[in-house]
Amino acid sequence: MLRIILGDVPDVIYNTSVYFKNQYKKEWIISPNGVSMIKDVDSSTVLGSGAIDSPIMGIISPERLSGGVKTLILIDNVPDKVFNASNCGDNCATWLLKLGKQKDITINLRHIMDFGEGEFDIYIENTKSVVHNMDDFVFIAGRYV
């Protein structure tokens, strides 16, 4: 399940780009989730563990991916850490929900992310409650961010 801690909290990795640069593993890039996230969020094609074809920047290294994709890759591969998902745009919300269906993940949000019009299950750590739609999420998130 996707679990969210809203607002400023200690022990969250805030600068995900620096953490990614120093900690990522090449196999994360070529994993099925890595390839799909990079395609969906950055519209880029993974050519190998060290090369990605970006329609805007040409051939790039994984360190030059968007902050959102780097954060998603970290969330997927480093489950014992909590990452600041406010580095992600709303275009990453679908992936956060997908990852939450695959396994338990905990993220930090310091803004109200748009999870779309559909139904979902998100556990809010601050209130120890589950929200199922954007109305419920905004009602709670507005108190913390």
Side-chain angles (χ1 to χ4, degrees), residues 2 13 28-30 53 60 64 90 97 122 125-126 130:
L2 174 59
I13 297 173
W28 298 353
I29 305 304
I30 57 173
D53 187 8
I60 61 170
R64 296 198 54 212
D90 288 340
L97 292 171
I122 297 175
E125 293 282 351
N126 307 67
V130 177

Side-chain angles (χ1 to χ4, degrees), residues 19 25 44 47-49 52 61 65 73 75 107 113 117 123 130 144-145:
Y19 191 91
K25 309 280 187 261
S44 297
L47 302 175
S49 61
I52 294 132
S61 69
L65 290 165
I73 291 171
I75 291 166
I107 64 169
M113 181 173 276
E117 299 294 320
Y123 183 83
V130 177
Y144 296 96
V145 296

Side-chain angles (χ1 to χ4, degrees), residues 59-70:
I59 306 300
I60 61 170
S61 69
E63 293 92 351
R64 296 198 54 212
L65 290 165
S66 71
V69 168
K70 288 189 269 194

Side-chain angles (χ1 to χ4, degrees), residues 118-135:
E119 294 286 314
F120 48 76
D121 294 318
I122 297 175
Y123 183 83
I124 307 298
E125 293 282 351
N126 307 67
T127 59
K128 308 290 187 233
S129 62
V130 177
V131 296
H132 303 286
N133 56 54
M134 277 306 294
D135 287 342

Side-chain angles (χ1 to χ4, degrees), residues 91-109:
N91 62 336
C92 295
T94 301
W95 270 102
L96 291 171
L97 292 171
K98 280 183 191 178
L99 291 173
K101 286 181 180 178
Q102 294 174 4
K103 58 187 159 189
D104 288 336
I105 60 170
T106 302
I107 64 169
N108 173 234
L109 279 178

Side-chain angles (χ1 to χ4, degrees), residues 9 17 39 45 65 70-71 102-103 111-113 128:
V9 292
S17 288
K39 185 66 160 173
T45 303
L65 290 165
K70 288 189 269 194
T71 302
Q102 294 174 4
K103 58 187 159 189
H111 78 289
I112 297 176
M113 181 173 276
K128 308 290 187 233

